[in-house]
Amino acid sequence: MVSKTEETQLDRLENQVDNGGGGAWEYLSLVRKLKLRRSDKVLKHGLSILNDPKKRSSLGPEEWTLYEQVAIAAMDCQCLDVAKDCIKILQKQFSESKRVGRLEAMLLEAKGLWQEAEKAYSSLLEDNPFDQVVHKRRVAMAKAQGNISGSIDWLNKYLEIFMADHDAWRELAEIYISLQMYKQAAFCYEELILSQPTVPFHHLAYADVLYTLGGLENIQTAKKYYASTIDLTGGKNTRALFGICLCSSAIGQLSKGRNKEDKESSELQSLVVTALEKDYKQRAPEKLSLVTSTLKSFKVSS
């Protein structure tokens, strides 16, 4: 994740370069370091260096890194001739490189030559079964073709090898949610909570999925995870606060008085309602009456 300091530095460099103040290489290096895809800017400023022999030669070995960066940006921008030229130069310099082989496969993919790209990726994986980039390209290629079941299969195969990839678990969960496969999505968020227990988003997303699944046990568990989200964010997550209210209302309806909430739960509910009313009073006072009436419809109040 990009920090505010890094984002500020990047924006400053981008404005400087766009206005002719120099620093193109520093900007491109920072984009690469932060793993961002500002492809139009990378293509423009990268070519300004590569097309100038003096600037290009001053890079030393980093020249080849820039050719790779510009090739990927060109494919993003559908400037396939530029990408092809960059890859040809890299092929000449590194004729046996698997890294260049990945770029060749990506170019096939960018051209929509799916079968040829798949063959190229399969060949690369035969040489190196643990190439994360190639595995991810297969997922991306399946999604580009609208093959959702294929992207699920490739993501699951990828996660069998790279189980610690949090972004992949989150992507798989989002695909499952889009298909209303909530039990599978819940499993993904459980894996994320186990590996990153202090990330509030995972707790919140898991609670949302459990609430959507419904049933007394799921909603009781959802309430606990909404509560943990509130705890991790210092009480500043409005969605989680509303989640507590929704869960309390649903539990009351489903249990029909059989399972009365204990004193601690009642206190939590009261605190949540107070926090919501205080939040809206400060940030959106014109909506406070609507929030108050909504909370009353849930049969919860401070």
Side-chain angles (χ1 to χ4, degrees), residues 135-140 142-143 147-163 165-176 188:
H135 281 285
K136 288 181 177 181
R137 290 314 315 164
R138 278 180 144 180
V139 176
K143 290 178 76 174
N147 183 3
I148 302 301
S149 61
S151 62
I152 289 173
D153 290 341
W154 288 126
L155 267 173
N156 276 307
K157 288 176 182 177
Y158 171 80
L159 286 165
E160 287 175 6
I161 304 171
F162 306 103
M163 291 178 283
D165 190 327
H166 308 125
D167 290 334
W169 280 113
R170 189 160 54 247
E171 183 177 0
L172 183 58
E174 289 169 358
I175 292 174
Y176 280 138
C188 295

Side-chain angles (χ1 to χ4, degrees), residues 95-108:
S95 58
E96 301 298 323
S97 170
K98 301 301 178 186
R99 190 161 169 171
V100 176
R102 284 204 304 258
L103 291 174
E104 292 171 341
M106 289 171 67
L107 183 58
L108 292 171

Side-chain angles (χ1 to χ4, degrees), residues 202-212 221-223 225-226 229:
H202 302 333
H203 293 251
L204 179 62
Y206 184 50
D208 284 344
V209 169
L210 290 174
Y211 181 82
T212 304
T221 307
K223 185 176 180 180
Y225 279 92
Y226 281 128
T229 304

Side-chain angles (χ1 to χ4, degrees), residues 228-272:
S228 65
T229 304
I230 293 168
D231 184 45
L232 289 167
T233 58
K236 295 179 180 178
N237 191 295
T238 304
R239 186 182 183 89
L241 292 169
F242 272 115
I244 292 283
C245 297
L246 286 166
C247 288
S248 296
S249 177
I251 290 168
Q253 292 176 21
L254 290 169
S255 62
K256 295 180 181 178
R258 287 178 285 126
N259 296 316
K260 291 186 178 179
E261 291 187 298
D262 56 28
K263 184 180 179 182
E264 185 177 334
S265 295
S266 298
E267 288 176 355
L268 172 63
Q269 183 176 310
S270 178
L271 287 170
V272 164

Side-chain angles (χ1 to χ4, degrees), residues 34-87:
L34 300 179
K35 298 181 180 179
L36 300 175
R37 295 285 281 268
R38 299 196 176 185
S39 301
D40 56 336
K41 302 287 186 181
V42 169
L43 181 60
K44 177 183 176 182
H45 300 308
L47 284 176
S48 72
I49 295 175
L50 293 177
N51 291 334
D52 186 322
K54 187 177 179 180
K55 290 181 180 178
R56 187 174 70 240
S57 62
S58 69
L59 298 178
E62 292 292 339
E63 174 186 346
W64 313 115
T65 303
L66 183 56
Y67 271 114
E68 180 185 39
Q69 188 177 10
V70 170
I72 293 170
M75 284 186 270
D76 284 347
C77 297
Q78 280 296 298
C79 296
L80 301 185
D81 289 338
V82 174
K84 184 179 178 181
D85 291 341
C86 290
I87 293 170

